[in-house]
Amino acid sequence: MEAFYTIQGEGFHKGTAAYFVRIGGCDVGCHWCDVKESWNAELHPPTPTQDIVSEALKHSDTVVVTGGEPLTWNMEPLTSALKERGAKVHIETSGAYELTGQWDWICLSPKKIKLPLKPIYKEADELKVIIYNKHDLQFAEEQAAQVGEQCILYMQPEWSVRDKVMPLIVDYVMANPKWKVSLQTHKYLNIP
Ligand code: SF4
């Protein structure tokens, strides 16, 4: 759909310069999705893999594959081509589809309406649960119960309700310090 060089704004790698590749196509349907224009893959004609790889490596050796839902598609061709050229390859995924591709970092962000497939939980390096209301705190715990011990746990306020949910998250994380707070710092910085 698009690709751009910016600063990773959220989660474990926040503050790190990275090249983002946004893959078109997602049928998860989160009502608060901030990239709804990504949903219809037909609006985003395919780009040759080698073109994406060459452009990415002009900018950065850290490449974040996001969407849309990247795992709608087989990620093996793109990730193997990036890794052959020495890139570190990260994914941001809901985990709703089969995990394909070779990843140096998996950020799993589960969505209630289309839950992750079981195998990805143990592969996740980072669990990032978007908090829209207080019920999501319980959902976050249910999801955290399924990831591996090495997985870092984040709660991140959904942007449009951040002022309302941030106090909930702050109290929750102080009471349950296995969790960390993730903020969408790129939105505060007004960068992509
Ligand atoms: Fe949007 Fe991501 Fe939800 Fe798909 S999974 S609808 S891209 S927030």
Side-chain angles (χ1 to χ4, degrees), residues 2-189:
E2 61 177 349
F4 48 92
Y5 183 45
T6 189
I7 306 291
Q8 167 64 279
E10 56 193 60
F12 181 79
H13 291 284
K14 71 175 178 302
T16 303
Y19 190 80
F20 277 67
V21 177
R22 188 184 301 288
I23 309 288
C26 183
D27 70 353
V28 176
C30 308
H31 66 90
W32 41 257
C33 178
D34 58 2
V35 278
K36 290 192 167 101
E37 62 277 19
S38 70
W39 291 4
N40 184 353
E42 290 181 11
L43 298 179
H44 310 292
T47 305
T49 301
Q50 285 306 335
D51 292 1
I52 297 174
V53 172
S54 302
E55 197 56 35
L57 294 171
K58 284 182 199 166
H59 296 280
S60 180
D61 63 1
T62 300
V63 178
V64 180
V65 179
T66 186
E69 174 43 70
L71 296 180
T72 306
W73 317 98
N74 179 5
M75 286 290 112
E76 185 59 32
L78 176 61
T79 56
S80 58
L82 285 164
K83 289 189 72 67
E84 273 167 24
R85 302 271 301 270
K88 293 186 212 64
V89 193
H90 302 185
I91 186 171
E92 304 264 340
T93 179
S94 69
Y97 294 98
E98 182 190 355
L99 179 62
T100 53
Q102 302 170 33
W103 305 101
D104 296 289
W105 190 266
I106 295 176
C107 174
L108 175 64
S109 186
K111 305 300 184 309
K112 273 182 194 161
I113 52 174
K114 205 169 176 77
L115 289 170
L117 300 181
K118 290 284 175 215
I120 199 171
Y121 284 103
K122 296 292 183 225
E123 302 296 325
D125 296 290
E126 163 181 8
L127 178 74
K128 186 172 69 192
V129 182
I130 309 303
I131 306 297
Y132 184 80
N133 57 37
K134 70 176 189 308
H135 304 292
D136 292 330
L137 302 172
Q138 177 63 33
F139 175 66
E141 289 295 352
E142 291 162 10
Q143 296 302 297
Q146 300 182 67
V147 297
E149 282 192 0
Q150 83 297 344
C151 186
I152 305 167
L153 307 179
Y154 288 101
M155 291 184 170
Q156 178 174 295
E158 197 282 312
W159 180 252
S160 69
V161 293
R162 61 192 181 282
D163 292 341
K164 193 172 104 196
V165 296
M166 205 60 234
L168 284 179
I169 296 173
V170 167
D171 286 350
Y172 195 86
V173 169
M174 286 196 295
N176 301 275
K178 69 179 181 182
W179 291 95
K180 297 175 189 292
V181 177
S182 172
L183 297 176
Q184 292 182 294
T185 56
H186 53 296
K187 294 191 178 181
Y188 290 99
L189 294 170

